[in-house]
Amino acid sequence: MATEDKNRATAAAILPLVGGAANVESIAHCMTRLRLGLHDRSLVDDEALKAVPAVMGVVEDDTYQIVLGPGTVARVTPEFEQLVEEGRASSETPAPVHTAEELAEKGAALKARQKAKNSTPFKLFLRRIANIFVPLIPALIGCGIIAGLNGLLVNLGWLTSVTPALAAMASGFMALIAVFVGYNTAKEFGGTPILGGAVAAIIVFPGVANIDAFGQTLAPGQGGVLGALGAAVLAVYVEKWCRRWVPEALDVLVTPTLTVLISGLVTIFGLMYVAGEVSSAIGTFADWLLSTGGAGAGFLLGGFFLPLVMLGLHQALIPIHTTLIEQQGFTVLLPILAMAGAGQVGAAAAVYLRLPRNESIRRTIRSAMPAGLLGVGEPLIYGVSLPLGRPFITACVGGAFGGGFVGLFNQLGDSVGSTAIGPSGWALFPLLDGNHGLGSTIAIYAGGLLVGYVAGFVATYFFGFSKSLLAEFNVSQEPAPSTVAATGPAAASGDSQAKEPAGV
């Protein structure tokens, strides 16, 4: 079957299982998931969706998320959008909500569900921050891989006439990343995106080198993405104030002028300096943490990363990663955090051997393991370790040991970093960078993965199952534990839609 036909077939298989075109309100995708806004979630057939060959799992959040994996989701989404448009054009069937009473009931149910998932203001704020940076990940990955290729060619002395061009391709986006952050920030917070980008562009304008603030001469790029984020948020509030008070006849002239003028002055004579100090502090702290804490810091980061993901708090790390990449060329935190996925892979292998009679769970592991090795952990987490309970904890132990291994080498002076965010597992190899050559960096990261695999396997094999858990699941006819179709906060808080972990 041709690739386009395969992607369309996947989209066609998914559409009726989410209630058809009339039930789809919005469509988007991230690196691995198709994210759907649905009118009526009771029309979704979770189990049938999980049985679709290309579907690795489902996650229920403020949107309904279908895990398809990197690459696949970017190809299936356009086909799905086209099928939805065709379905709406050919059908006169209205959306599932027909009356005001039904709409009120469904709205109340959705509100209660969100409350049960502990959508606190802080977590919603973190989600907004993530929405600013996640769209930048494809460019970070592409430019990061080109930077790695260019570095390899420079070290080998090959293609000397081409390497300057590759350097320009790799560095161009990072030189202007503040503009893109400003644009996305204004869009996310309800302002005019181009005004947010215009204010953020001040930060990277070379002419700021002629300006003194707080007794210091400013430098282009000072404050980086944090300064751009703050400048754009300020621009949104200034713009909204102007929209409220400026007469409509003058709005088109006065509002954008005042927005750029006021926000620009505050950015130049305040935010750039403050954000620059904060950015420098982040870089200094990350270096200090791994140079002094080393194995201990790596152990804690690798071990607690998945619980942070389950609680939705990992989104706070995204601007930190981006700041480190902007400052140092790579983030030393991501390779350590990636060890959490290695622990999951090792734990899944142990579950496979400990449950030889449960063909259902073993089949799930066989299908999800390739994605897990490439850093897509949702199928193994939601389909295997989390529903079983103890194996999720022992998988975190595996991640801790892998993180400790990489952290130890950072303490010894061998920094291991990633030039982009997003990929993990084996998919992170093309993005690795460090301070002691590519070969050393790859060897340390590969060693960390191996330690994570082995530690997750050993911890799970010997400590991941109680006698009652083995008796319950190691039987021929026992069904696999249900995939948890919920978000991290739901899983952590015991949401009624998420199966309680067994045998903890």
Side-chain angles (χ1 to χ4, degrees):
M1 181 183 292
T3 302
E4 292 184 2
D5 293 339
K6 180 180 179 181
N7 294 328
R8 191 170 182 85
T10 299
I14 292 173
L15 183 56
L17 300 179
V18 295
N23 195 38
V24 178
E25 182 179 10
S26 63
I27 305 169
H29 74 87
C30 60
M31 290 293 296
T32 59
R33 305 178 186 182
L34 173 63
R35 299 171 179 258
L36 303 178
L38 302 175
H39 293 290
D40 186 352
R41 296 197 187 187
S42 67
L43 300 179
V44 177
D45 190 336
D46 291 318
E47 296 306 317
L49 270 173
K50 297 168 194 171
V52 175
V55 174
M56 299 177 178
V58 296
V59 180
E60 192 168 352
D61 199 344
D62 55 332
T63 56
Y64 190 82
Q65 303 170 14
I66 303 171
V67 183
L68 297 174
T72 301
V73 68
R75 292 170 172 81
V76 171
T77 300
E79 300 291 346
F80 187 84
E81 290 174 334
Q82 185 176 350
L83 289 175
V84 169
E85 290 301 319
E86 293 174 357
R88 289 171 177 169
S90 62
S91 174
E92 297 180 358
T93 304
V97 178
H98 298 287
T99 66
E101 290 78 12
E102 290 179 38
L103 183 62
E105 291 175 2
K106 294 182 187 301
L110 287 173
K111 184 176 180 179
R113 185 179 299 162
Q114 283 299 103
K115 183 177 181 180
K117 290 176 182 175
N118 195 26
S119 292
T120 64
F122 178 66
K123 291 178 182 176
L124 292 175
F125 173 75
L126 291 182
R127 187 174 299 162
R128 291 186 116 181
I129 298 299
N131 290 340
I132 293 168
F133 289 92
V134 167
L136 306 179
I137 290 178
L140 285 169
I141 293 173
C143 295
I145 291 177
I146 293 174
L149 175 62
N150 184 62
L152 179 62
L153 293 175
V154 169
N155 290 335
L156 295 174
W158 294 353
L159 301 177
T160 54
S161 61
V162 176
T163 51
L166 292 177
M169 297 176 197
S171 304
F173 173 74
M174 290 306 301
L176 297 175
I177 189 172
V179 179
F180 296 100
V181 169
Y183 184 95
N184 287 347
T185 300
K187 181 179 180 181
E188 179 66 26
F189 283 85
T192 301
I194 197 64
L195 291 179
V199 174
I202 297 170
I203 293 174
V204 295
F205 177 59
V208 297
N210 300 320
I211 302 173
D212 291 333
F214 297 97
Q216 297 182 8
T217 300
L218 296 178
Q222 186 173 338
V225 295
L226 298 183
L229 194 155
V233 170
L234 175 62
V236 169
Y237 282 100
V238 173
E239 180 187 0
K240 289 182 177 179
W241 182 88
C242 290
R243 301 286 185 202
R244 191 162 53 246
W245 295 103
V246 173
E248 290 185 10
L250 300 175
D251 181 72
V252 70
L253 296 175
V254 174
T255 296
T257 303
L258 289 179
T259 298
V260 175
L261 179 62
I262 296 173
S263 303
L265 288 173
V266 174
T267 298
I268 292 171
F269 294 104
L271 281 177
M272 285 186 67
Y273 175 80
V274 173
E277 294 299 307
V278 173
S279 297
S280 298
I282 289 174
T284 301
F285 176 75
D287 291 338
W288 173 85
L289 179 66
L290 294 179
S291 63
T292 57
F299 189 91
L300 293 175
L301 290 171
F304 284 100
F305 182 62
L306 282 183
L308 287 178
V309 172
M310 305 304 295
L311 294 171
L313 299 178
H314 67 295
Q315 294 168 339
L317 295 171
I318 296 177
I320 295 176
H321 286 311
T322 309
T323 298
L324 291 174
I325 292 171
E326 189 179 35
Q327 282 184 344
Q328 304 175 359
F330 53 82
T331 168
V332 293
L333 298 179
L334 185 57
I336 293 176
L337 300 177
M339 296 301 120
Q344 285 291 330
V345 169
V351 172
Y352 188 87
L353 294 182
R354 290 289 273 164
L355 302 180
R357 299 178 183 175
N358 195 318
E359 183 56 31
S360 178
I361 291 181
R362 287 162 66 90
R363 185 168 55 249
T364 298
I365 293 173
R366 286 196 299 269
S367 64
M369 187 64 78
L373 291 170
L374 291 173
V376 182
E378 289 98 333
L380 290 177
I381 296 172
Y382 294 113
V384 181
S385 66
L386 186 63
L388 287 173
R390 277 194 186 181
F392 178 78
I393 298 174
T394 52
C396 292
V397 172
F401 277 95
F405 180 88
V406 178
L408 174 62
F409 279 91
N410 274 275
Q411 187 175 12
L412 296 176
D414 285 304
S415 296
V416 178
S418 170
T419 57
I421 57 178
S424 184
W426 293 3
L428 196 61
F429 277 110
L431 297 167
L432 291 177
D433 196 3
N435 62 348
H436 280 84
L438 187 59
S440 173
T441 301
I442 290 176
I444 294 170
Y445 180 71
L449 288 178
L450 182 61
V451 170
Y453 296 153
V454 173
F457 178 89
V458 171
T460 304
Y461 192 90
F462 291 104
F463 305 105
F465 289 89
S466 62
K467 292 182 179 179
S468 61
L469 193 64
L470 279 175
E472 180 181 357
F473 287 102
N474 190 28
V475 290
S476 300
Q477 301 301 319
E478 187 69 20
S482 301
T483 300
V484 181
T487 60
S493 62
D495 187 279
S496 61
Q497 294 189 355
K499 179 174 178 173
E500 280 294 323
V504 176

